[in-house]
């Protein structure tokens, strides 16, 4: 038993194996205390691993009694410092890692019920095993959890047709900051019974409750999937291609990714083993994904026709269509290697932004020109889910300037410039990664004041002592400002 009465109480409601503390478990605790990008290393009072909702509820009740704040954690792949503790050594990390079972699949209702610590790839596989499909997909799917996906309202590669995590979830169970278990774990597509508590928790990043279970929507396995890699001259042409692809393919267009020349050049340089589909193309690149519930022959022929008509009208300069599932995977692998290639090139200033598609071209032009005025020869790595209006707009040091020096000198100024331009173009400073502790200050600057005020009121009503992920989304002292 620990000398700390709170830790002793934790061990008594769990088991010693489910409670890790300093100094005995210090090494094993490290990955739970450090964020994915290794920007910050916090220190937890303990990391706990409940197996069930009942155990998690007991933990929350102990925290309420002792005034200990909680950091919920799933796969810890979040990119905005929301899932790791601060440096005080006073926060409890509650990992859902052991709550990882797929509980049931209802094939008639087309739903799957899972515990929140279930890894996304396992949910996808469980659906596939029944001939069904869960479309949420992203590069972190081997580690991120359903609870984390819902808490961040994650996006990924299939938003164009299926929406974000919010649109894929019908019901949840959660432990709330008053210690109760809220059970709205219903698989209903229509349910107008007052405020939507499920939607309130989705996207709340662990600040309003800890999600313990979820009912997720499934679809029939698509019969056919085709990917194509196309080369366009510039961003404007990529936007025009999106319009055309929508016109030709309708709802069968399930992915539309755009990548600027530098993004691909960095992949070529730092991940040379990857075979480039258009090695000679010097303009922008587009990765299209098309999905059909009918035949592969039809989908393939329609895609070929689209490519041919774009070549004929000179909208694209070059293009290839994947001929197999393996080739499709290879194309996605190139797109998903951009963050790694960028990291190898050196630290950079990242933005995960969204804009109305009609504003994107004007945004890219003005932000690029303003950045060049601020930092001559600065490089931008611009890629993302164009079909969803979502860009990962990252700013890299000019060649020859040390990345650390660049960040030190320009990080704030670059954020200011980019976010001001986002606001001017009616966009959002966070498209899919959330706010966390990283963008909490920026939210104060860029969110509508009344919306911010309502958020603070809700937070205070549900969590009056500010014990659930304090400092995430809203800064803790200003909860009631
Ligand atoms: P964590 O990182 O553990 O937590 C994220 C937030 O959710 C934290 O605030 C945490 O407190 C809270 N939380 C976690 N579990 C719960 C729970 N059960 N109840 C309440 N709150 C909880 N994101 C996208 O949207 N689209 C992408 O395409 C994408 N690609 C990525 C690619 C890579 C290589 C990486 C590293 C990340 C990517 N992300 C992407 C970001 C990240 O994977 C997602 O935000 C993911 O949804 C986080 O899930 P997680 O289980 O790792 O959550």
């Amino acid at each position: 038993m620990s000398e700390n009465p709170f830790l002793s109480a934790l061990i008594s409601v769990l088991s010693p194996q489910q409670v890790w503390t300093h100094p005995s478990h210090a090494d094993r605790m490290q990955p739970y205390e450090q964020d994915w990008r290794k920007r910050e290393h916090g220190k937890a009072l303990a990391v706990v691993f409940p197996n069930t909702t009942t155990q998690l509820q007991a933990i929350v009740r102990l925290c309420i009694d002792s005034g200990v704040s909680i950091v919920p954690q799933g796969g810890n792949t979040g990119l905005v410092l929301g899932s790791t503790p601060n440096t005080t050594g006073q926060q409890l990390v509650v990992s859902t890692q052991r709550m990882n079972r797929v509980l049931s699949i209802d094939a008639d209702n087309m739903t799957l019920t899972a515990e929140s610590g279930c890894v996304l790839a396992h949910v996808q596989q469980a659906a596939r095993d029944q001939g069904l499909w869960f479309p949420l997909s992203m590069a972190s799917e081997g580690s991120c959890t359903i609870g984390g996906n819902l808490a961040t309202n994650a996006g990924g590669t299939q938003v164009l047709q299926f929406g974000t995590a919010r649109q894929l979830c019908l019901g949840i169970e959660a432990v709330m900051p008053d210690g109760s278990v809220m059970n709205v774990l219903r698989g209903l597509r229509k349910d107008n019974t007052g405020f939507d508590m499920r939607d309130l928790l989705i996207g709340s990043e662990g600040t309003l409750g800890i999600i313990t279970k979820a009912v997720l929507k499934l679809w029939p396995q698509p019969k056919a999937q085709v990917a194509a890699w196309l080369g366009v001259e510039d961003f404007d042409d990529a936007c025009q291609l999106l319009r055309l692809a929508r016109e030709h393919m309708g709802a069968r267009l399930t992915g539309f990714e755009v990548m600027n020349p530098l993004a691909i050049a960095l992949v070529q340089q730092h991940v040379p083993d990857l075979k480039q589909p258009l090695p000679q193309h010097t303009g922008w690149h587009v990765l299209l994904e098309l999905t059909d519930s009918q035949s592969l022959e039809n989908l393939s022929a329609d895609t070929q026709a689209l490519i041919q008509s774009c070549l004929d009208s000179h909208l694209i300069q070059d293009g290839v269509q994947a001929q197999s599932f393996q080739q499709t995977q290879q194309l996605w692998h190139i797109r998903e290697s951009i963050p790694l290639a960028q990291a190898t090139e050196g630290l950079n200033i990242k933005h995960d932004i969204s804009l109305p598609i009609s504003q994107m071209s004007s945004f890219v032009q003005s932000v690029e020109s303003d950045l060049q005025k601020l930092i001559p020869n600065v490089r931008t790595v611009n890629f993302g889910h164009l079909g969803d209006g979502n860009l990962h707009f990252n700013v890299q040091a000019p060649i020859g300037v040390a990345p650390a020096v660049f960040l030190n000198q320009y990080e704030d100024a670059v954020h200011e410039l980019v976010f001001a331009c986002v606001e001017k173009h009616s966009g959002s400073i966070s498209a899919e990664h959330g706010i966390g502790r990283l963008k909490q200050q920026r939210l104060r600057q860029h969110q509508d004041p009344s919306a911010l005020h309502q958020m603070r009121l809700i937070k205070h009503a549900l969590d009056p002592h500010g014990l659930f992920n304090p400092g995430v989304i809203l800064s803790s002292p200003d909860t009631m400002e």
Side-chain angles (χ1 to χ4, degrees):
M1 278 288 165
S2 163
E3 282 174 18
N4 177 325
F6 172 72
L7 294 177
S8 298
L10 275 179
I11 291 169
S12 69
V13 299
L14 300 170
S15 70
Q17 293 74 33
Q18 289 170 277
V19 182
W20 293 0
T21 52
H22 286 280
S24 45
H25 298 93
D27 286 350
R28 290 205 283 175
M29 287 167 76
Q30 277 217 18
Y32 299 83
E33 295 176 321
Q34 181 160 56
D35 73 295
W36 179 273
R37 284 195 181 134
K38 299 188 171 40
R39 288 178 70 117
E40 270 190 20
H41 196 116
K43 184 174 182 203
L45 173 62
V47 184
V48 290
F49 300 90
N51 289 321
T52 61
T53 302
T54 310
Q55 284 192 345
L56 206 153
Q57 182 182 30
I59 295 167
V60 168
R61 288 188 166 161
L62 285 177
C63 287
I64 296 168
D65 290 345
S66 303
V68 171
S69 67
I70 298 173
V71 180
Q73 192 179 96
N76 196 16
T77 66
L79 301 175
V80 289
L81 303 179
S83 48
T84 45
N86 60 26
T87 51
T88 58
Q90 298 300 315
Q91 295 193 300
L92 184 71
V93 173
V94 177
S95 167
T96 58
Q97 225 167 45
R98 293 194 192 180
M99 298 172 65
N100 59 7
R101 290 172 304 160
V102 171
L103 298 171
S104 62
I105 293 185
D106 182 340
D108 289 334
N109 199 39
M110 301 291 274
T111 50
L112 177 152
T113 305
E115 290 180 324
S116 61
C118 211
V119 168
L120 173 56
H122 297 167
V123 169
Q124 294 167 343
Q125 187 58 47
R128 245 189 325 267
D129 291 346
Q130 302 290 318
L132 297 168
W133 189 34
F134 183 58
L136 187 68
S137 176
M138 61 194 78
S140 55
E141 64 198 24
S143 308
C144 66
T145 63
I146 288 302
N149 298 150
L150 293 172
T152 58
N153 186 23
T157 57
Q158 301 290 320
V159 175
L160 198 53
Q161 193 186 346
F162 299 98
T164 59
R166 186 188 299 285
Q167 280 89 45
L168 302 175
C169 176
L170 293 175
I172 56 164
E173 177 194 84
V175 178
M176 302 299 286
D178 63 0
S180 66
V181 174
M182 182 179 77
N183 186 333
V184 284
L185 195 65
R186 295 189 282 249
L188 303 175
R189 283 168 176 80
K190 289 186 169 179
D191 180 16
N192 283 346
T193 47
F195 300 156
D196 193 331
M197 297 307 289
R198 169 203 58 185
D199 262 4
L200 184 62
L201 258 67
I202 294 175
S204 68
E205 301 183 39
T207 61
L208 301 179
I210 306 178
I211 299 167
T212 46
K213 295 188 184 107
V215 183
L216 305 168
K217 280 196 221 171
L218 301 178
W219 275 261
Q221 268 291 344
K223 294 269 185 317
Q225 212 155 35
V226 164
W229 191 282
L230 310 176
V232 291
E233 195 173 317
D234 52 28
F235 189 80
D236 261 348
D237 284 354
C239 293
Q240 207 182 321
L241 178 58
L242 172 64
R243 272 195 298 278
L244 208 71
R246 276 187 162 144
E247 244 171 68
H248 277 246
M249 309 305 286
R252 292 180 298 171
L253 180 66
T254 49
F256 193 104
E257 302 286 310
V258 69
M259 293 146 276
N260 80 344
L262 181 59
I264 295 304
L266 291 181
V267 174
Q268 277 173 324
Q269 186 184 342
H270 297 298
V271 199
D273 290 348
L274 283 184
K275 195 164 171 285
Q276 290 296 325
L278 307 178
Q280 308 305 329
H281 181 69
T282 53
W284 286 63
H285 297 248
V286 169
L287 171 60
L288 283 185
E289 188 183 79
L290 303 131
T291 305
D292 202 343
S293 55
Q294 302 298 313
S295 77
L296 178 60
E297 287 73 29
N298 278 349
L299 186 65
S300 220
D302 289 354
T303 308
Q304 198 54 53
L306 171 68
I307 296 177
Q308 194 55 52
S309 100
C310 293
L311 281 169
D312 293 345
S313 64
H314 304 291
L315 179 59
I316 63 173
Q317 280 82 58
D318 204 354
V320 293
Q321 184 178 327
Q323 298 302 324
S324 63
F325 178 71
Q326 198 193 6
Q327 283 185 4
T328 297
Q329 297 294 94
Q330 282 166 355
L331 294 183
W332 275 107
H333 192 41
I334 298 171
R335 153 67 180 86
E336 284 165 359
S337 299
I338 297 172
L340 171 70
Q342 246 206 301
T344 314
E345 180 73 3
L347 291 171
N348 51 79
I349 306 171
K350 295 187 190 300
H351 308 91
D352 160 45
I353 54 180
S354 65
L355 298 135
I357 294 173
S358 50
Q359 296 282 321
M360 291 181 88
S361 194
S362 153
F363 165 80
V364 171
Q365 271 179 29
S366 42
V367 79
E368 294 270 5
S369 134
D370 290 352
L371 276 169
Q372 286 302 329
K373 282 181 208 147
L374 179 72
I375 316 162
N377 301 320
V378 72
R379 298 176 296 161
T380 54
V381 175
N382 186 357
F383 65 100
H385 320 290
L386 180 63
D388 318 330
N390 177 191
L391 290 178
H392 299 302
F393 187 84
N394 301 337
V395 182
Q396 199 103 30
I399 292 174
V401 176
V405 174
F406 170 70
L407 239 70
N408 199 18
Q409 191 172 354
Y410 288 115
E411 187 164 17
D412 273 345
V414 167
H415 283 318
E416 292 286 333
L417 187 155
V418 172
F419 289 142
C421 200
V422 165
E423 194 171 316
K424 202 168 114 198
H425 289 84
S426 312
S428 161
I429 62 161
S430 178
E432 58 177 8
H433 295 160
I435 298 296
R437 281 182 281 115
L438 189 70
K439 293 190 192 158
Q440 176 247 108
Q441 291 282 2
R442 302 281 168 197
L443 186 73
R444 275 155 80 118
Q445 276 172 269
H446 296 283
Q447 181 60 287
D448 170 73
S450 172
L452 256 187
H453 181 61
Q454 312 308 321
M455 282 192 218
R456 289 183 184 122
L457 292 175
I458 291 169
K459 170 72 176 168
H460 188 70
L462 295 189
D463 183 17
H465 304 297
L467 296 182
F468 272 45
N469 231 355
V472 165
I473 302 181
L474 302 168
S475 66
S476 10
D478 77 357
T479 302
M480 275 308 287
E481 242 174 39

